[in-house]
Amino acid sequence: QLQLVESGGGLVQPGGSLTLSCAASGFNLEYYAIGWFRQAPGKEREGVSCISSSVSYTDYNDSVKGRFIISRDSAKNAVYLHMRSLKPEDTAVYYCAAAWEAVVATTPCQLKYETWGQGTQVTVSS
């Protein structure tokens, strides 16, 4: 019943921009922390950016700080990842995930994420 769907991935040149969306159905996203994660070929999954529920604390991986921005849109029950100055090393499958918060987490990427989307491919190449 709880479902997340990512979209917005694609091929982009180095230095370009891309926005990913994560749309929720079956539950109200406002009561969950949402995280963006990525997995590159041959590498382990890593957290990219996460946002808490009502208070909206955010976490960013050091590798994307200053380049990526996570945001929420309550009206659309969605979360977005705005990416700019993309690098080839950003190439990966990007996933969004939801974590229920008993209390609002100040470091939301440390939560246990149990509901995952199917992923969307981001390829940064010239």
Side-chain angles (χ1 to χ4, degrees):
Q1 291 182 342
L2 278 58
Q3 187 175 14
L4 297 172
V5 179
E6 304 97 332
S7 62
L11 176 64
V12 63
Q13 290 184 298
S17 300
L18 206 61
T19 296
L20 306 182
S21 65
C22 176
S25 63
F27 65 104
N28 191 333
L29 214 55
E30 282 297 299
Y31 303 124
Y32 291 81
I34 298 295
W36 284 99
F37 301 83
R38 67 186 181 188
Q39 188 164 22
K43 298 183 179 180
E44 295 184 348
R45 186 185 67 200
E46 65 176 356
V48 178
S49 182
C50 307
I51 188 166
S52 65
S53 54
S54 60
V55 180
S56 295
Y57 292 105
T58 57
D59 282 338
Y60 291 96
N61 188 301
D62 286 343
S63 68
V64 306
K65 286 182 178 178
R67 299 190 297 119
F68 291 11
I69 297 174
I70 190 169
S71 66
R72 308 181 70 121
D73 188 333
S74 297
K76 295 183 178 180
N77 205 29
V79 172
Y80 303 92
L81 185 67
H82 309 276
M83 306 182 293
R84 65 175 179 85
S85 300
L86 284 161
K87 305 174 181 179
E89 51 263 46
D90 294 318
T91 296
V93 177
Y94 284 69
Y95 301 89
C96 68
W100 184 79
E101 292 183 285
V103 296
V104 176
T106 57
T107 54
C109 274
Q110 297 183 22
L111 293 168
K112 175 66 175 180
Y113 287 87
E114 297 181 339
T115 302
W116 293 78
Q118 84 289 345
T120 186
Q121 176 71 47
V122 173
T123 302
V124 184
S125 177
S126 59

